Amino acid sequence: MSDYAKGLEGVIAAETQMSFIDGEKGILEYVGIPIGELAQHSTFEETVYLLWNLRLPTRGELDAFTKELRGRYEIPGVLAERIRQLPSDAQPMHVLRTLVSELALHDPDPNKNDPASARDKALSVLAKAPTLVAYFDRYRRGLDFVHPDSSLSFAENFLTMLNGERPTETMARAFDICMILHTDHGLNNSTFTARVIISTLSDVYSALTGAIGSLRGPLHGGANEGVMHMLNEIPSVDAVEPYIMEKIRNKEKIMGFGHRVYKAKDPRAFALQGLAEQLAKDTGNEELYLKSVKIEEVMTRELGKKGIYPNVDFYSATTYHSIGLKLDLFTPMFALSRLGGWSGHIIEQLSDNRLFRPKAKYVGPHNVPYVPIDQR
Ligand code: CMC
């Protein structure tokens, strides 16, 4: 009980029925369904329903859930005005974190977290977050807002609001698959953050805001932007080998590789690699994909024996770039999707709550005399 595990490695701190991970075998399931099956056959909306209800919906249930979600795409008018007052060079993750927090100010009863209210608030944030990101991106580019369209799916609506035109079916489906793959992943740092915050019986907005702050870090969701920076820095496929070898020699971390839980290739990376290959080919970004494959080859040869393989962030960089997303929107895309997972965990935590309150092992001195300030 009193063992210290740095970074809580291996510590089981919650029970969940949402996702199962076998890090040795590279398996990920949502409510028992392999992630590859969901990526192939499901939609983001259905996946969120699955995670929040622990079963797949009937057609009627899915239609009702989707209708509810689409009916909430619009953000309060004052919030749209607020976006126009933000510094146009603000970073989108800071913008998203701030505005999700601000949604609480437009909720007449933000602290209610009985099961129905928690779901209701989570659904609103999930529906509005893409609007917040798309509006901010258009504002900073000097473009008019494109209002959400409740006849469109989560993926189609977001890409339409961002680009001012309907995405092709292939693009919308690729984006939808990315959303499915990123929705939930056990007790990762941001999900843990959300559960820790809600365990004080704080509110859904606070828990989601904290989770966004956690996800931004380069060791977590911020890694997908780090991967893109690396790909941009490497001038050609031939330059990959010396670039990576020098980083390894300098003991620098390669973004998009390694995982606390997976010691095999992340199952989401397989699906994303397929998407990255296809989209890169379709959009003239083949070299980006080929550089990525070469990086994986060198990393597997050099560090595979240490269990370091591509994680979810590695091929998502090429995928998002090929979809036409700007680099600093990559981590916000992760957040849009993970809002579904964080909310499911908030609902799960509230259903059987106990305050998170671990201990720290004190390693400082004892019985130190107090020295008055003028004698120090
Ligand atoms: N490149 C090179 N070496 C690595 C990497 C990497 N990406 N990841 C781990 N290592 C080495 C590390 O240097 C250490 O070596 P040694 O034992 O010789 O000191 C060993 O592997 C263990 O690393 P660690 O950082 O103690 O492992 P961890 O379980 O605390 O960290 C991790 C997991 C994801 C933070 C880490 O692998 C990492 O920093 N990866 C790069 C950032 C990244 O891609 N993050 C995304 C994670 S997956 C999706 C998400 O959560 O958003």
Side-chain angles (χ1 to χ4, degrees):
M1 268 306 259
S2 58
D3 280 356
Y4 165 51
K6 192 172 183 186
L8 296 183
E9 180 165 6
V11 172
I12 297 172
E15 284 187 327
T16 185
Q17 296 184 65
M18 291 169 59
S19 53
F20 167 79
I21 306 166
D22 184 327
E24 299 295 329
K25 296 195 185 124
I27 295 172
L28 170 62
E29 296 169 345
Y30 291 169
V31 199
I33 305 177
I35 191 68
E37 293 269 307
L38 290 164
Q40 213 179 335
H41 304 296
S42 189
T43 59
F44 178 60
E45 287 84 342
E46 184 182 62
T47 299
V48 172
Y49 186 100
L50 169 71
L51 291 167
W52 290 12
N53 297 282
L54 306 176
R55 63 173 177 81
L56 288 169
T58 62
R59 186 170 296 282
E61 286 168 336
L62 181 60
D63 287 348
F65 181 73
T66 302
K67 191 164 173 240
E68 265 293 314
L69 183 77
R70 292 181 181 191
R72 296 171 190 228
Y73 287 164
E74 289 279 356
I75 59 172
V78 278
L79 208 51
E81 276 314 307
R82 260 283 281 146
I83 292 174
R84 290 199 179 91
Q85 289 155 15
L86 295 174
S88 58
D89 61 352
Q91 294 173 24
M93 277 302 275
H94 288 291
V95 170
L96 181 64
R97 190 198 59 240
T98 303
L99 296 179
V100 164
S101 177
E102 204 158 326
L103 283 173
L105 311 185
H106 302 279
D107 181 335
D109 215 344
N111 302 344
K112 269 185 104 173
N113 52 26
D114 60 274
S117 301
R119 277 168 188 260
D120 188 67
K121 292 172 198 317
L123 195 71
S124 277
V125 178
L126 183 68
K128 290 175 185 5
T131 315
L132 298 174
V133 174
Y135 276 20
F136 175 71
D137 186 62
R138 290 190 68 86
Y139 151 71
R140 69 177 174 170
R141 286 189 282 149
L143 300 171
D144 288 337
F145 295 156
V146 174
H147 290 277
D149 181 342
S150 62
S151 72
L152 300 179
S153 70
F154 187 91
E156 287 170 320
N157 177 54
F158 174 69
L159 293 174
T160 306
M161 286 191 295
L162 194 71
N163 300 326
E165 59 184 25
R166 288 279 285 275
T168 63
E169 226 172 272
T170 315
M171 282 296 176
R173 180 61 190 146
F175 188 76
D176 196 42
I177 295 172
C178 289
M179 295 291 104
I180 294 171
L181 294 171
H182 286 85
T183 314
D184 191 42
H185 204 242
L187 209 56
N188 59 86
N189 191 292
S190 53
T191 298
F192 185 47
T193 303
R195 288 188 80 131
V196 167
I197 293 174
I198 205 68
S199 82
T200 69
L201 299 184
S202 181
D203 59 280
V204 170
Y205 300 99
S206 296
L208 295 175
T209 301
I212 295 170
S214 153
L215 186 75
R216 199 190 68 75
L219 295 187
H220 193 5
N224 59 13
E225 294 181 16
V227 173
M228 198 63 219
H229 282 299
M230 171 173 72
L231 289 168
N232 285 339
E233 250 175 50
I234 303 175
S236 64
V237 178
D238 287 343
V240 164
E241 173 98 28
Y243 177 96
I244 297 292
M245 290 308 290
E246 192 183 343
K247 288 224 178 261
I248 293 175
R249 261 194 307 279
N250 295 339
K251 296 205 169 299
E252 285 177 55
K253 280 189 170 170
I254 312 296
M255 292 294 112
F257 283 83
H259 201 279
R260 175 63 64 78
V261 181
Y262 292 120
K263 300 304 161 205
K265 186 166 171 177
D266 186 326
R268 300 167 296 177
F270 286 103
L272 282 161
Q273 180 170 3
L275 274 183
E277 181 176 19
Q278 189 55 52
L279 290 175
K281 206 175 280 172
D282 293 350
T283 56
N285 287 299
E286 218 166 358
E287 194 175 35
L288 212 55
Y289 176 71
L290 295 174
K291 281 194 271 186
S292 305
V293 172
K294 185 69 186 171
I295 294 172
E296 179 178 352
E297 183 194 309
V298 177
M299 283 295 284
T300 305
R301 188 189 71 214
E302 296 297 321
L303 297 179
K305 50 191 170 294
K306 284 177 82 174
I308 295 170
Y309 292 98
N311 58 48
V312 69
D313 289 314
F314 188 60
Y315 285 104
S316 64
T318 303
T319 306
Y320 286 147
H321 180 84
S322 301
I323 288 176
L325 294 168
K326 275 188 290 305
L327 202 160
D328 63 1
L329 292 181
F330 289 11
T331 314
M333 294 310 98
F334 195 156
L336 294 189
S337 159
R338 190 56 62 87
L339 276 165
W342 294 328
S343 301
H345 280 270
I346 289 170
I347 294 165
E348 200 173 45
Q349 181 67 32
L350 284 171
S351 72
D352 185 23
N353 188 51
R354 188 163 190 224
L355 178 76
F356 279 102
R357 204 314 185 181
K359 293 199 296 188
K361 180 177 169 188
Y362 178 69
V363 292
H366 291 283
N367 292 322
V368 180
Y370 177 79
V371 181
I373 195 159
D374 52 1
Q375 292 173 29
R376 286 175 214 158

